Amino acid sequence: MISMKKMLMNPSRRFSLRSSRTFSMQQAEAPVMGGGKIGVRGGLSLYKRLSALGFNGGTVADTMNNYVNDGNFFAKFDLDSCVKELRKYGQYPLALEVMEWMNKSGNGFAPTDTAKYLDLTAKVKGISAAEYYFNGLLPSEIHKCAYGALLNCFCQGGLEDKAHALFVEMDKMGIVSTIAFNNLMTLYMKIHQPEKVPALIQELKNRNMPLDMFSYSVWMGSYSSLNDIKAVERVFEEVNLIYGKQNYDWTIISNLASAYVNVGLDEKAELTLKELEKKVLNVKRPDRRPFHYLLNLYAATSNLAEVHRIWKGLKSAFKVTTNVSTLHMLKALAKLDDVIGLKSIFEEWESTCPSYDERLAKTAIVLYLKHDMTEEAGRVFEHVVKRCEGPYYRYWEMLMSYYLEKHEIDTALECLEAAISEGKNNEWHPTPEDVNRFMEYFKKDNDANGAEMFCKILRKLQPLDHGTYTSLLEIYAGASQIVR
């Protein structure tokens, strides 16, 4: 494979993008993502093996059998803990496989297990599969937890009609809870109808049902989306009145800060963030999430010094700095255009990370290209190819856009070909906007040969659309060439 770094350093160099890939994925030892306390009968050891399947392959059934054959044993509690950790770290297919094994092995499902299974099925196989599973349950197996889980699936999927119909059915059965109302509020925020949230809050109050912290958070978020900062402040005051300043959840004050940021009240936002710091940073068991919010919100107020200060605090509060924390920091630095700070932190992460996270690499490449740091971008791309399986068409797409912007059309065409070759079964297509950008460049330069080569590449994916073909004819006419 031609060096990505050489290509980026010397954009005039021409090479074949069809050469075979010489890099193979390096299988690193899979990290234990949770690192928490799991079970009392060797559950942590079991979780290590299950978690590693996401990196090394294999099946849950074989892993379970081998674990037992090695002289270990576990209780259902251990399996529940493993499922919890796998869900926490986004390993949904593995979590679903564990639950399927639990069910087939005769452990049986409790009502909460059915709910978790529904949620995982929706995440892995789609909402239709979860609905099919729910409809196949016996009456004795359908608990209010299952109804709640299906409602959550519909709401997360933005399926308003199905969510509303199920909510009405649950209401008739007398099993509607605050959580069900919260799900509907989340749905309306997802489908960009925040104006419907306050009516649901009022309905909760009319029924004398308690609002929880999530209810208040979504309520504040709805007013923030409507740019009604006074209403956001009124909700915050209600929380203070009911819970007291020391007892409400930290997400409430972060929502207030976010609302101030959204309307450009940066001074109020930063004062609120100082209150958030007092609430969450000096505790015995710190949580990473407030640090992430602080990084993002200080970046939104364009306060680079505070971003770096919070980052130092995060690193000192935790023995291990996770990929997710580093990603939040890199995004904050990218937002503030601090390429020097990003480069330093990214290179430190890249030299020590046990598992390579492409999201961090993409964030770095985007900012490097913005600053014409093509050598650095090329080096990161090479590391991605060495350490990740691919496909890599999103990286080639970034490079294509960069060279289009620089009017390096020949190199942009090579990146286009590389992106297409990376996608299987026409998995990747250039956007209509990128197609138009190419054609505009060819038209401006009367470059009929370049336009013809470009259209030849496009035809590998699909026939030319009317607009592209018309542009090609115009370019031929401008260049006084005959249509071929």
Side-chain angles (χ1 to χ4, degrees):
M1 187 184 212
I2 300 296
S3 168
M4 299 301 103
K5 184 168 62 178
K6 289 181 179 178
M7 175 242 185
L8 288 164
M9 290 175 62
N10 185 6
S12 63
R13 180 185 178 99
R14 298 293 167 255
F15 58 90
S16 170
L17 295 169
R18 297 186 179 86
S19 57
S20 60
R21 190 177 298 133
T22 58
F23 298 120
S24 61
M25 182 180 180
Q26 295 180 345
Q27 293 285 354
E29 182 179 353
V32 180
M33 292 181 158
K37 296 179 180 179
I38 303 179
V40 293
R41 296 179 174 87
L44 180 56
S45 175
L46 175 60
Y47 174 71
K48 287 181 180 180
R49 298 195 189 191
L50 292 172
S51 179
L53 294 178
F55 301 89
N56 301 330
T59 67
V60 166
D62 289 342
T63 301
M64 295 289 201
N65 293 333
N66 291 336
Y67 186 78
V68 173
N69 291 337
D70 288 344
N72 302 301
F73 68 101
F74 51 83
K76 185 176 182 297
F77 169 79
D78 298 312
L79 296 179
D80 291 339
S81 297
C82 288
V83 170
K84 179 180 178 180
E85 291 296 300
L86 291 169
R87 292 176 74 193
K88 179 180 177 181
Y89 291 97
Q91 292 188 297
Y92 303 122
L94 285 176
L96 180 62
E97 216 178 322
V98 172
M99 295 210 71
E100 288 173 342
W101 186 91
M102 286 169 57
N103 197 32
K104 292 177 182 178
S105 64
N107 283 282
F109 272 3
T112 54
D113 292 329
T114 302
K116 285 186 286 188
Y117 187 84
L118 268 165
D119 175 71
L120 288 168
T121 299
K123 285 181 169 62
V124 177
K125 300 179 181 179
I127 296 174
S128 295
E131 189 176 9
Y132 180 82
Y133 171 75
F134 178 86
N135 291 333
L137 291 172
L138 298 173
S140 60
E141 297 173 321
I142 301 180
H143 186 268
K144 64 180 181 180
C145 295
Y147 279 98
L150 185 61
L151 177 64
N152 181 64
C153 291
F154 289 156
C155 291
Q156 292 298 321
L159 303 177
E160 182 180 7
D161 291 341
K162 287 193 172 187
H164 184 264
L166 184 59
F167 182 88
V168 169
E169 182 181 350
M170 292 170 64
D171 202 15
K172 290 178 180 178
M173 297 170 62
I175 59 174
V176 162
S177 63
T178 299
I179 294 175
F181 275 92
N182 289 347
N183 280 328
L184 280 187
M185 288 189 279
T186 302
L187 165 67
Y188 288 127
M189 294 297 289
K190 180 180 286 289
I191 63 176
H192 308 295
Q193 296 180 15
E195 68 279 0
K196 292 185 177 181
V197 170
L200 290 171
I201 292 290
Q202 189 58 51
E203 180 63 20
L204 269 171
K205 292 184 174 184
N206 291 343
R207 297 186 183 204
N208 293 320
M209 297 174 69
L211 277 67
D212 58 21
M213 287 297 175
F214 190 82
S215 309
Y216 282 111
S217 291
V218 181
W219 191 13
M220 291 176 71
S222 70
Y223 283 133
S224 179
S225 297
L226 297 169
N227 293 321
D228 189 346
I229 193 65
K230 294 297 182 183
V232 175
E233 291 175 330
R234 284 198 302 272
V235 177
F236 182 71
E237 288 304 317
E238 182 175 322
V239 175
N240 275 328
L241 182 64
I242 294 174
Y243 290 94
K245 290 187 177 182
Q246 302 303 318
N247 297 320
Y248 59 77
D249 190 83
W250 66 267
T251 58
I252 297 295
I253 197 167
S254 71
N255 286 338
L256 179 61
S258 179
Y260 285 140
V261 167
N262 288 344
V263 294
L265 298 174
D266 288 352
E267 289 187 12
K268 279 194 169 185
E270 293 204 4
L271 288 173
T272 307
L273 290 174
K274 295 301 181 186
E275 292 299 315
L276 175 60
E277 289 186 48
K278 292 178 185 177
K279 190 171 186 63
V280 301
L281 300 191
N282 298 317
V283 295
K284 291 182 179 179
R285 294 185 177 181
D287 184 349
R288 295 179 192 273
R289 292 176 300 160
F291 285 93
H292 299 165
Y293 274 84
L294 286 165
L295 289 172
N296 297 333
L297 289 170
Y298 274 125
T301 63
S302 301
N303 197 326
L304 181 60
E306 292 295 80
V307 168
H308 281 287
R309 181 179 64 82
I310 295 298
W311 175 246
K312 289 180 181 178
L314 188 156
K315 293 191 72 175
S316 65
F318 301 95
K319 292 181 179 179
V320 176
T321 305
T322 65
N323 287 356
V324 172
S325 293
T326 308
L327 178 61
H328 279 283
M329 181 57 176
L330 293 187
K331 286 187 173 181
L333 296 178
K335 183 181 293 186
L336 297 176
D337 209 29
D338 181 12
V339 68
I340 295 175
L342 180 142
K343 184 174 185 290
S344 174
I345 291 172
F346 177 78
E347 289 180 350
E348 178 186 356
W349 166 80
E350 200 175 37
S351 66
T352 59
C353 64
S355 62
Y356 203 88
D357 191 328
E358 288 189 66
R359 295 173 299 175
L360 280 73
K362 289 177 182 177
T363 303
I365 289 175
V366 168
L367 192 60
Y368 287 159
L369 292 179
K370 180 180 178 181
H371 287 265
D372 295 329
M373 297 169 64
T374 53
E375 180 179 355
E376 288 82 356
R379 188 182 301 116
V380 175
F381 192 2
E382 286 189 330
H383 293 170
V384 169
V385 174
K386 289 179 180 179
R387 301 189 65 173
C388 303
E389 189 173 1
Y392 311 107
Y393 51 77
R394 293 301 179 196
Y395 297 94
W396 286 113
E397 183 179 26
M398 286 191 287
L399 296 176
M400 180 192 74
S401 296
Y402 173 79
Y403 286 114
L404 268 174
E405 189 68 30
K406 296 299 179 182
H407 210 161
E408 293 282 349
I409 305 303
D410 289 342
T411 309
L413 281 172
E414 293 183 351
C415 294
L416 171 68
E417 278 199 287
I420 291 173
S421 68
E422 284 287 339
K424 297 178 181 178
N425 300 319
N426 293 343
E427 187 177 8
W428 180 86
H429 293 76
T431 65
E433 292 75 19
D434 282 334
V435 172
N436 290 335
R437 288 172 68 194
F438 269 109
M439 296 306 286
E440 286 299 318
Y441 283 129
F442 296 133
K443 189 182 298 184
K444 181 179 178 180
D445 294 343
N446 287 328
D447 186 358
N449 290 332
E452 189 174 271
M453 182 184 300
F454 174 66
C455 291
K456 185 177 180 181
I457 295 171
L458 289 184
R459 286 191 183 101
K460 296 176 182 177
L461 298 173
Q462 60 190 27
L464 299 182
D465 61 33
H466 177 74
T468 305
Y469 189 72
T470 300
S471 295
L472 180 60
L473 294 178
E474 292 173 354
I475 293 169
Y476 276 133
S480 300
Q481 288 194 15
I482 301 173
V483 178
R484 302 179 187 181

